[in-house]
Amino acid sequence: MLDKTIDSALLALRRQINQCDGKGREHVEALLKQRGVHMPRAMPPRLNVAGSGVMARMALDALRDGPQTARYVSEYVAKRRPEITFDKGHVFTAVALTKLKKRGLVVHDGGFGGLWRLA
């Protein structure tokens, strides 16, 4: 087996361990260190809160009651997704509203702090 194949497999195993529970990571990293392989920074698992249009649907649901501010939509999302912080939820909501605006489904009236409404 080629050295680069073993190195790649160990790096993939390290990534998988980081995405799961993290048990055994120190053993894999010790092997990588022994082999002299550069280890990229271990990234925490991504929180998949917006998969399959979930954020877009929640934003549209929040706007069904009439024009609302982005903060109101973020609070609406935060009540339904307690696993994310309000700050992260606000960012996710802003991205979802911008994408919906580009698709022509919502309209932003006014400048900063203006109201969002369904198109």
Side-chain angles (χ1 to χ4, degrees):
M1 189 177 290
L2 293 174
D3 281 342
K4 68 179 184 176
T5 305
I6 296 169
D7 296 344
S8 295
L10 286 170
L11 286 169
L13 179 60
R14 180 176 176 256
R15 250 189 325 274
Q16 185 179 9
I17 288 172
N18 285 336
Q19 295 295 322
C20 296
D21 57 5
K23 292 181 181 175
R25 185 176 69 216
E26 62 277 355
H27 301 295
V28 174
E29 288 178 349
L31 287 171
L32 287 165
K33 195 177 287 186
Q34 277 182 338
R35 296 179 63 79
V37 177
H38 168 71
M39 290 180 282
R41 192 175 84 210
M43 300 299 288
R46 284 190 63 190
L47 190 60
N48 188 13
V49 296
S52 302
V54 172
M55 291 298 290
R57 280 194 298 275
M58 283 193 282
L60 290 172
D61 288 343
L63 295 175
R64 292 204 201 297
D65 298 334
Q68 304 293 345
T69 63
R71 181 167 182 85
Y72 173 84
V73 177
S74 298
E75 290 170 356
Y76 181 90
V77 168
K79 289 177 188 172
R80 284 147 186 82
R81 299 304 291 255
E83 69 272 13
I84 60 173
T85 64
F86 177 79
D87 293 336
K88 283 194 174 200
H90 190 64
V91 171
F92 293 143
T93 302
V95 170
L97 287 170
T98 302
K99 286 181 179 180
L100 289 169
K101 180 181 174 183
K102 286 181 182 178
R103 289 174 44 201
L105 296 173
V106 298
V107 177
H108 186 231
D109 297 327
F112 182 76
L115 296 177
W116 290 87
R117 64 179 170 84
L118 295 175

